[in-house]
Amino acid sequence: GPLAGRTDAEVKELPGQAEALRKWNERNLWPAKAHWGREENLRRGIADFLGLLYDAQPDVLAPDSVVLLVGSNGVLRLLAMMALGEAAAKHPQFPFKMRTGNVGKLRERGGRYELVYWDQAPDALLP
């Protein structure tokens, strides 16, 4: 979309975008004029993805399997929020911003997810 590849500072300078960016960064409020498509469609896709992962156990995914997901900041934010459910808004890492090149880890146990780490530089996780 028209905001792709722009820094936050550049987006703030665009007419009508500063407040939308603040709401997105602080509260994950979907920016209606960002041309990202409908939030409901993305949420439905994420719910379907989480359901597929859950349904794949134990026939396809063995216990403690690792699934690598590559995505954009917005998709990953919504994924974390949906995986954590009602507890997401009270989590210390809310709103779950993911900087470019960083990683996060969600762990599923019995249909519930926990956030192991989020927005970490990969080299910071090496022993």
Side-chain angles (χ1 to χ4, degrees):
L3 304 181
R6 296 181 188 252
T7 65
D8 282 2
E10 291 170 328
V11 172
K12 284 180 189 176
E13 296 300 318
L14 297 172
Q17 294 299 323
E19 183 65 11
L21 180 64
R22 185 186 68 73
K23 289 178 180 178
W24 171 245
N25 281 335
E26 292 175 7
R27 298 188 317 226
N28 282 349
L29 293 179
W30 192 264
K33 295 183 181 180
H35 305 286
W36 292 352
R38 296 176 54 93
E39 181 179 6
E40 301 83 40
N41 293 343
L42 180 55
R43 285 185 178 273
R44 187 172 25 261
I46 290 170
D48 290 347
F49 173 75
L50 292 172
L52 284 171
L53 288 180
Y54 187 76
D55 291 344
Q57 300 173 48
D59 300 328
V60 178
L61 293 174
D64 296 324
S65 292
V66 174
V67 176
L68 176 65
L69 174 66
V70 178
S72 68
N73 172 48
V75 172
L76 295 173
R77 280 183 186 209
L78 289 180
L79 172 73
M81 289 181 57
M82 291 177 67
L84 296 175
E86 291 181 15
K90 294 179 181 164
H91 194 281
Q93 288 195 262
F94 180 86
F96 308 111
K97 184 169 183 161
M98 181 70 71
R99 290 172 288 179
T100 301
N102 281 1
V103 297
K105 182 177 182 179
L106 287 164
R107 180 180 295 136
E108 184 271 338
R109 304 252 171 161
R112 298 193 56 126
Y113 288 88
E114 67 175 292
L115 193 70
V116 179
Y117 54 82
W118 198 256
D119 193 34
Q120 297 292 309
D123 59 349
L125 300 169
L126 296 174

